[in-house]
Amino acid sequence: MSGETPAVIEARGIVNRFGDVVVHDGLDLRIPRGCIMALVGGSGAGKTVLLRTLILLREPQAGQLALFGQDALAAHGTTRQRLRQRIGVLFQGGALFTGLTVLENVLLPLREHGAVERAFLADIGMLKIRLAGLPADAAHKYPAELSGGMVKRAALARALALDPELLVLDEPTSGLDPIGAAAFDDLVRELRDLLGLTILQVTHDLDSIWHGSDMVAFLARKKVLALGTAAELAQRDEPELAAYFRQGRSLAYARQAADASRHQAHATQITGTS
Ligand SMILES: Nc1ncnc2c1ncn2[C@@H]1O[C@H](COP(=O)(O)OP(=O)(O)OP(=O)(O)O)[C@@H](O)[C@H]1O
Ligand SMILES: [Mg+2]
């Protein structure tokens, strides 16, 4: 994606510390509008802390953060509240309220926000439930009555409640079988296309990284060490990137991508088109 596309998130020089533990030290990240970006990195690298910073649940010790072109760290009170409402979030682990049905869970943010007339609430909730790919009869079930994949979709429906422009997902496909995970990736892409969303998702799923995302931000050494397509990152020589992208199952994906690009180059040579 070109540097000309406006940024939905632009973070510069972010520092996050817990006591003596420095999690981020001068981290930069730019996410263009309409991008599906995967945020990857080892356990404890600071992915969740970064998400919490970007959605304004955590104040960094230093740095600048623009959300939708606005200085987010300088925004307070209702201005900050309005910025937050433009972001839909699916937290690590999903976290639906177990005592509420799917529909009641989805309606919660709408009720809190208070902008929707009561008469329309249920219709809007049902729309979000269907958008998240759930059958209508899931609306009146409790989370314990749903499969793991359906719980993720219900949490996604709730994240969509307030018509966000940016979706932030922390490991949305963890715990799903490969087919369920691939279906969720497809859904995320469809929603991006349909609703014009920008998506930032933490993931360890190789299929999501290689096929479900447009760009990958790789977190290491307390910053975004590399940003690019998975195929680009797999070419890099930094030991952290090589270890992540050129070992184990990742290697198969890297080889597939290299083969595909060789075939593409070969076809271009033959036909003179790209
Ligand atoms: N509230 C907190 N207080 C103290 N330290 C914290 C706190 N939250 C996170 N940390 C520390 O920050 C670092 C990054 O944590 P974070 O949860 O962002 O990792 P992660 O990349 O999301 O890992 P995982 O892949 O396991 O979810 C860890 O060293 C963690 O111990
Ligand atoms: Mg995490």
Side-chain angles (χ1 to χ4, degrees):
M1 225 163 270
S2 88
E4 302 307 312
T5 312
V8 167
I9 295 179
E10 186 142 29
R12 281 179 191 276
I14 297 290
V15 175
N16 272 309
R17 271 192 304 265
F18 295 99
D20 292 339
V21 179
V22 181
V23 179
H24 303 127
D25 190 11
L27 176 147
D28 299 330
L29 180 64
R30 182 183 193 281
I31 306 181
R33 185 174 296 278
C35 183
I36 301 178
M37 187 175 286
L39 179 62
V40 308
S43 188
K47 301 179 295 294
T48 298
V49 171
L50 179 58
L51 290 192
R52 289 178 57 80
T53 307
L54 299 177
I55 63 179
L56 306 177
L57 287 181
R58 183 189 151 76
E59 205 72 22
Q61 270 82 11
Q64 290 154 14
L65 173 63
L67 293 175
F68 313 105
Q70 284 184 49
D71 183 346
L73 299 179
H76 298 286
T78 52
T79 317
R80 177 168 279 220
Q81 197 63 31
R82 262 188 242 116
L83 278 176
R84 270 206 194 126
Q85 280 164 2
R86 295 169 74 178
I87 308 174
V89 183
L90 201 164
F91 288 103
Q92 198 164 6
L96 292 172
F97 289 97
T98 53
L100 300 180
T101 65
V102 169
L103 181 60
E104 287 163 350
N105 265 285
V106 173
L107 293 185
L108 213 57
L110 285 162
R111 290 213 165 97
E112 278 169 4
H113 188 237
V116 179
E117 275 188 55
R118 289 176 67 93
F120 297 128
L121 272 176
D123 282 348
I124 294 177
M126 288 308 294
L127 174 71
K128 306 298 171 175
I129 286 168
R130 300 311 302 271
L131 269 178
L134 284 171
D137 67 2
H140 303 293
K141 293 191 168 151
Y142 289 88
E145 301 174 294
L146 303 177
S147 71
M150 290 169 92
V151 168
K152 303 274 186 191
R153 285 170 192 264
L156 182 65
R158 191 178 57 186
L160 292 171
L162 294 175
D163 296 329
E165 293 157 68
L166 168 66
L167 260 189
V168 172
L169 314 172
D170 200 350
E171 299 197 26
T173 58
S174 73
L176 297 185
D177 62 78
I179 293 171
F184 196 93
D185 281 345
D186 290 344
L187 173 65
V188 164
R189 191 169 287 277
E190 279 165 27
L191 289 174
R192 187 273 306 270
D193 295 343
L194 186 68
L195 306 174
L197 296 169
T198 305
I199 290 151
L200 175 63
Q201 53 180 356
V202 171
T203 182
H204 296 289
D205 184 307
L206 289 173
D207 221 36
S208 298
I209 293 168
W210 282 87
H211 302 299
S213 307
D214 304 313
M215 299 235 273
V216 181
F218 189 88
L219 211 55
R221 301 185 209 171
K222 306 180 176 42
K223 46 184 60 127
V224 175
L225 183 62
L227 185 75
T229 64
E232 284 164 358
L233 267 49
Q235 303 290 320
R236 300 264 300 240
D237 290 326
E238 289 93 333
E240 296 92 335
L241 285 156
Y244 201 92
F245 285 97
R246 296 211 291 267
Q247 309 232 339
R249 286 192 303 128
S250 242
L251 196 56
Y253 283 81
R255 287 194 180 127
Q256 263 173 24
D259 281 350
S261 81
R262 260 199 303 281
H263 286 145
Q264 177 69 32
H266 188 58
T268 309
Q269 259 178 12
I270 293 171
T271 62
T273 58
S274 59

mmCIF file of all heavy atoms in Angstrom, residues 135-165:
data_model
loop_
_atom_site.group_PDB
_atom_site.id
_atom_site.type_symbol
_atom_site.label_atom_id
_atom_site.label_comp_id
_atom_site.label_asym_id
_atom_site.label_seq_id
_atom_site.Cartn_x
_atom_site.Cartn_y
_atom_site.Cartn_z
ATOM 1 N N PRO A 135 -25.769 -17.435 12.564
ATOM 2 C CA PRO A 135 -27.179 -17.586 12.217
ATOM 3 C C PRO A 135 -28.039 -16.800 13.211
ATOM 4 O O PRO A 135 -27.622 -16.570 14.354
ATOM 5 C CB PRO A 135 -27.420 -19.092 12.368
ATOM 6 C CG PRO A 135 -26.358 -19.567 13.296
ATOM 7 C CD PRO A 135 -25.174 -18.664 13.113
ATOM 8 N N ALA A 136 -29.222 -16.399 12.770
ATOM 9 C CA ALA A 136 -30.092 -15.564 13.613
ATOM 10 C C ALA A 136 -30.409 -16.248 14.939
ATOM 11 O O ALA A 136 -30.509 -15.591 15.975
ATOM 12 C CB ALA A 136 -31.372 -15.234 12.859
ATOM 13 N N ASP A 137 -30.528 -17.583 14.922
ATOM 14 C CA ASP A 137 -30.937 -18.237 16.173
ATOM 15 C C ASP A 137 -29.825 -18.270 17.226
ATOM 16 O O ASP A 137 -30.058 -18.634 18.370
ATOM 17 C CB ASP A 137 -31.524 -19.632 15.912
ATOM 18 C CG ASP A 137 -30.490 -20.610 15.378
ATOM 19 O OD1 ASP A 137 -29.314 -20.212 15.241
ATOM 20 O OD2 ASP A 137 -30.861 -21.761 15.085
ATOM 21 N N ALA A 138 -28.621 -17.850 16.846
ATOM 22 C CA ALA A 138 -27.539 -17.751 17.844
ATOM 23 C C ALA A 138 -27.772 -16.570 18.784
ATOM 24 O O ALA A 138 -27.230 -16.530 19.892
ATOM 25 C CB ALA A 138 -26.184 -17.604 17.155
ATOM 26 N N ALA A 139 -28.591 -15.626 18.350
ATOM 27 C CA ALA A 139 -28.762 -14.384 19.108
ATOM 28 C C ALA A 139 -29.247 -14.628 20.527
ATOM 29 O O ALA A 139 -28.863 -13.917 21.457
ATOM 30 C CB ALA A 139 -29.741 -13.466 18.379
ATOM 31 N N HIS A 140 -30.088 -15.652 20.682
ATOM 32 C CA HIS A 140 -30.706 -15.850 21.997
ATOM 33 C C HIS A 140 -30.033 -16.953 22.802
ATOM 34 O O HIS A 140 -30.538 -17.383 23.823
ATOM 35 C CB HIS A 140 -32.210 -16.086 21.820
ATOM 36 C CG HIS A 140 -32.842 -14.946 21.082
ATOM 37 N ND1 HIS A 140 -32.930 -13.676 21.621
ATOM 38 C CD2 HIS A 140 -33.316 -14.844 19.817
ATOM 39 C CE1 HIS A 140 -33.465 -12.852 20.737
ATOM 40 N NE2 HIS A 140 -33.708 -13.535 19.627
ATOM 41 N N LYS A 141 -28.869 -17.375 22.324
ATOM 42 C CA LYS A 141 -28.113 -18.373 23.077
ATOM 43 C C LYS A 141 -27.129 -17.689 24.024
ATOM 44 O O LYS A 141 -26.713 -16.549 23.802
ATOM 45 C CB LYS A 141 -27.363 -19.283 22.109
ATOM 46 C CG LYS A 141 -28.319 -20.131 21.283
ATOM 47 C CD LYS A 141 -27.594 -21.217 20.532
ATOM 48 C CE LYS A 141 -28.621 -22.185 19.970
ATOM 49 N NZ LYS A 141 -28.167 -22.831 18.758
ATOM 50 N N TYR A 142 -26.726 -18.444 25.052
ATOM 51 C CA TYR A 142 -25.713 -17.967 25.978
ATOM 52 C C TYR A 142 -24.353 -18.461 25.493
ATOM 53 O O TYR A 142 -24.273 -19.495 24.826
ATOM 54 C CB TYR A 142 -26.007 -18.471 27.395
ATOM 55 C CG TYR A 142 -27.219 -17.791 27.984
ATOM 56 C CD1 TYR A 142 -28.496 -18.306 27.780
ATOM 57 C CD2 TYR A 142 -27.074 -16.592 28.687
ATOM 58 C CE1 TYR A 142 -29.618 -17.648 28.281
ATOM 59 C CE2 TYR A 142 -28.187 -15.937 29.192
ATOM 60 C CZ TYR A 142 -29.458 -16.468 28.980
ATOM 61 O OH TYR A 142 -30.550 -15.806 29.466
ATOM 62 N N PRO A 143 -23.268 -17.734 25.823
ATOM 63 C CA PRO A 143 -21.949 -18.123 25.332
ATOM 64 C C PRO A 143 -21.622 -19.604 25.562
ATOM 65 O O PRO A 143 -21.046 -20.249 24.673
ATOM 66 C CB PRO A 143 -21.004 -17.208 26.112
ATOM 67 C CG PRO A 143 -21.813 -15.966 26.338
ATOM 68 C CD PRO A 143 -23.234 -16.446 26.549
ATOM 69 N N ALA A 144 -22.038 -20.164 26.710
ATOM 70 C CA ALA A 144 -21.717 -21.564 27.006
ATOM 71 C C ALA A 144 -22.374 -22.524 26.021
ATOM 72 O O ALA A 144 -21.975 -23.680 25.905
ATOM 73 C CB ALA A 144 -22.143 -21.906 28.434
ATOM 74 N N GLU A 145 -23.413 -22.054 25.306
ATOM 75 C CA GLU A 145 -24.116 -22.921 24.353
ATOM 76 C C GLU A 145 -23.519 -22.844 22.949
ATOM 77 O O GLU A 145 -24.049 -23.450 22.025
ATOM 78 C CB GLU A 145 -25.594 -22.511 24.282
ATOM 79 C CG GLU A 145 -26.305 -22.601 25.623
ATOM 80 C CD GLU A 145 -27.726 -22.059 25.548
ATOM 81 O OE1 GLU A 145 -27.885 -20.838 25.333
ATOM 82 O OE2 GLU A 145 -28.662 -22.837 25.707
ATOM 83 N N LEU A 146 -22.433 -22.057 22.787
ATOM 84 C CA LEU A 146 -21.849 -21.860 21.451
ATOM 85 C C LEU A 146 -20.533 -22.606 21.301
ATOM 86 O O LEU A 146 -19.838 -22.863 22.286
ATOM 87 C CB LEU A 146 -21.575 -20.369 21.220
ATOM 88 C CG LEU A 146 -22.744 -19.398 21.341
ATOM 89 C CD1 LEU A 146 -22.233 -17.982 21.146
ATOM 90 C CD2 LEU A 146 -23.833 -19.726 20.332
ATOM 91 N N SER A 147 -20.173 -22.913 20.051
ATOM 92 C CA SER A 147 -18.855 -23.482 19.779
ATOM 93 C C SER A 147 -17.816 -22.364 19.908
ATOM 94 O O SER A 147 -18.159 -21.167 19.938
ATOM 95 C CB SER A 147 -18.818 -24.036 18.359
ATOM 96 O OG SER A 147 -18.828 -22.952 17.433
ATOM 97 N N GLY A 148 -16.525 -22.766 19.971
ATOM 98 C CA GLY A 148 -15.446 -21.776 20.094
ATOM 99 C C GLY A 148 -15.481 -20.756 18.961
ATOM 100 O O GLY A 148 -15.322 -19.553 19.184
ATOM 101 N N GLY A 149 -15.711 -21.251 17.735
ATOM 102 C CA GLY A 149 -15.744 -20.351 16.579
ATOM 103 C C GLY A 149 -16.904 -19.369 16.662
ATOM 104 O O GLY A 149 -16.777 -18.201 16.288
ATOM 105 N N MET A 150 -18.035 -19.843 17.186
ATOM 106 C CA MET A 150 -19.207 -18.961 17.308
ATOM 107 C C MET A 150 -18.987 -17.909 18.387
ATOM 108 O O MET A 150 -19.437 -16.766 18.249
ATOM 109 C CB MET A 150 -20.463 -19.793 17.594
ATOM 110 C CG MET A 150 -20.910 -20.621 16.405
ATOM 111 S SD MET A 150 -22.174 -21.812 16.879
ATOM 112 C CE MET A 150 -23.663 -20.873 16.562
ATOM 113 N N VAL A 151 -18.272 -18.276 19.457
ATOM 114 C CA VAL A 151 -17.973 -17.300 20.509
ATOM 115 C C VAL A 151 -17.129 -16.160 19.920
ATOM 116 O O VAL A 151 -17.364 -14.983 20.186
ATOM 117 C CB VAL A 151 -17.238 -17.971 21.696
ATOM 118 C CG1 VAL A 151 -16.678 -16.928 22.646
ATOM 119 C CG2 VAL A 151 -18.184 -18.913 22.436
ATOM 120 N N LYS A 152 -16.144 -16.529 19.070
ATOM 121 C CA LYS A 152 -15.301 -15.496 18.439
ATOM 122 C C LYS A 152 -16.157 -14.575 17.578
ATOM 123 O O LYS A 152 -15.962 -13.370 17.543
ATOM 124 C CB LYS A 152 -14.247 -16.140 17.540
ATOM 125 C CG LYS A 152 -13.352 -17.124 18.228
ATOM 126 C CD LYS A 152 -12.186 -16.450 18.878
ATOM 127 C CE LYS A 152 -11.247 -17.503 19.421
ATOM 128 N NZ LYS A 152 -10.227 -16.965 20.280
ATOM 129 N N ARG A 153 -17.086 -15.176 16.844
ATOM 130 C CA ARG A 153 -17.951 -14.366 15.974
ATOM 131 C C ARG A 153 -18.864 -13.465 16.788
ATOM 132 O O ARG A 153 -19.132 -12.330 16.400
ATOM 133 C CB ARG A 153 -18.770 -15.267 15.051
ATOM 134 C CG ARG A 153 -17.914 -15.825 13.935
ATOM 135 C CD ARG A 153 -18.621 -16.913 13.151
ATOM 136 N NE ARG A 153 -17.680 -17.586 12.293
ATOM 137 C CZ ARG A 153 -17.497 -17.292 11.006
ATOM 138 N NH1 ARG A 153 -18.220 -16.372 10.442
ATOM 139 N NH2 ARG A 153 -16.580 -17.929 10.302
ATOM 140 N N ALA A 154 -19.346 -13.991 17.919
ATOM 141 C CA ALA A 154 -20.202 -13.173 18.786
ATOM 142 C C ALA A 154 -19.395 -11.986 19.333
ATOM 143 O O ALA A 154 -19.890 -10.855 19.389
ATOM 144 C CB ALA A 154 -20.755 -14.023 19.918
ATOM 145 N N ALA A 155 -18.145 -12.246 19.711
ATOM 146 C CA ALA A 155 -17.293 -11.159 20.213
ATOM 147 C C ALA A 155 -17.015 -10.157 19.089
ATOM 148 O O ALA A 155 -16.942 -8.949 19.326
ATOM 149 C CB ALA A 155 -15.983 -11.726 20.771
ATOM 150 N N LEU A 156 -16.882 -10.670 17.872
ATOM 151 C CA LEU A 156 -16.685 -9.786 16.723
ATOM 152 C C LEU A 156 -17.936 -8.933 16.490
ATOM 153 O O LEU A 156 -17.830 -7.729 16.227
ATOM 154 C CB LEU A 156 -16.361 -10.623 15.482
ATOM 155 C CG LEU A 156 -16.082 -9.852 14.203
ATOM 156 C CD1 LEU A 156 -14.813 -9.010 14.342
ATOM 157 C CD2 LEU A 156 -15.926 -10.814 13.025
ATOM 158 N N ALA A 157 -19.117 -9.553 16.617
ATOM 159 C CA ALA A 157 -20.372 -8.803 16.450
ATOM 160 C C ALA A 157 -20.423 -7.662 17.470
ATOM 161 O O ALA A 157 -20.828 -6.543 17.149
ATOM 162 C CB ALA A 157 -21.568 -9.734 16.622
ATOM 163 N N ARG A 158 -19.994 -7.957 18.696
ATOM 164 C CA ARG A 158 -20.005 -6.901 19.716
ATOM 165 C C ARG A 158 -18.997 -5.794 19.367
ATOM 166 O O ARG A 158 -19.261 -4.613 19.554
ATOM 167 C CB ARG A 158 -19.702 -7.489 21.098
ATOM 168 C CG ARG A 158 -19.959 -6.484 22.200
ATOM 169 C CD ARG A 158 -19.710 -7.054 23.568
ATOM 170 N NE ARG A 158 -18.356 -7.566 23.689
ATOM 171 C CZ ARG A 158 -17.908 -8.222 24.754
ATOM 172 N NH1 ARG A 158 -18.722 -8.463 25.765
ATOM 173 N NH2 ARG A 158 -16.675 -8.635 24.790
ATOM 174 N N ALA A 159 -17.827 -6.207 18.822
ATOM 175 C CA ALA A 159 -16.827 -5.211 18.429
ATOM 176 C C ALA A 159 -17.345 -4.313 17.302
ATOM 177 O O ALA A 159 -16.910 -3.179 17.151
ATOM 178 C CB ALA A 159 -15.528 -5.904 18.002
ATOM 179 N N LEU A 160 -18.294 -4.839 16.518
ATOM 180 C CA LEU A 160 -18.848 -4.066 15.395
ATOM 181 C C LEU A 160 -20.026 -3.186 15.805
ATOM 182 O O LEU A 160 -20.548 -2.418 14.992
ATOM 183 C CB LEU A 160 -19.321 -5.024 14.288
ATOM 184 C CG LEU A 160 -18.242 -5.812 13.534
ATOM 185 C CD1 LEU A 160 -18.895 -6.864 12.646
ATOM 186 C CD2 LEU A 160 -17.370 -4.879 12.707
ATOM 187 N N ALA A 161 -20.431 -3.308 17.074
ATOM 188 C CA ALA A 161 -21.692 -2.681 17.521
ATOM 189 C C ALA A 161 -21.780 -1.200 17.165
ATOM 190 O O ALA A 161 -22.792 -0.733 16.685
ATOM 191 C CB ALA A 161 -21.871 -2.885 19.017
ATOM 192 N N LEU A 162 -20.710 -0.462 17.397
ATOM 193 C CA LEU A 162 -20.790 0.996 17.236
ATOM 194 C C LEU A 162 -20.262 1.468 15.879
ATOM 195 O O LEU A 162 -19.793 2.590 15.754
ATOM 196 C CB LEU A 162 -20.047 1.691 18.383
ATOM 197 C CG LEU A 162 -20.655 1.514 19.779
ATOM 198 C CD1 LEU A 162 -19.776 2.149 20.851
ATOM 199 C CD2 LEU A 162 -22.058 2.107 19.847
ATOM 200 N N ASP A 163 -20.343 0.594 14.860
ATOM 201 C CA ASP A 163 -19.858 0.945 13.513
ATOM 202 C C ASP A 163 -18.435 1.497 13.520
ATOM 203 O O ASP A 163 -18.203 2.618 13.054
ATOM 204 C CB ASP A 163 -20.783 1.994 12.854
ATOM 205 C CG ASP A 163 -22.169 1.456 12.624
ATOM 206 O OD1 ASP A 163 -22.300 0.239 12.393
ATOM 207 O OD2 ASP A 163 -23.121 2.253 12.674
ATOM 208 N N PRO A 164 -17.481 0.725 14.038
ATOM 209 C CA PRO A 164 -16.115 1.246 14.126
ATOM 210 C C PRO A 164 -15.488 1.401 12.744
ATOM 211 O O PRO A 164 -15.908 0.757 11.788
ATOM 212 C CB PRO A 164 -15.386 0.152 14.908
ATOM 213 C CG PRO A 164 -16.123 -1.100 14.560
ATOM 214 C CD PRO A 164 -17.563 -0.684 14.455
ATOM 215 N N GLU A 165 -14.457 2.249 12.668
ATOM 216 C CA GLU A 165 -13.672 2.374 11.429
ATOM 217 C C GLU A 165 -12.422 1.502 11.516
ATOM 218 O O GLU A 165 -11.838 1.134 10.510
ATOM 219 C CB GLU A 165 -13.245 3.826 11.233
ATOM 220 C CG GLU A 165 -14.411 4.745 10.971
ATOM 221 C CD GLU A 165 -14.070 6.172 11.336
ATOM 222 O OE1 GLU A 165 -13.224 6.771 10.643
ATOM 223 O OE2 GLU A 165 -14.637 6.682 12.320
#
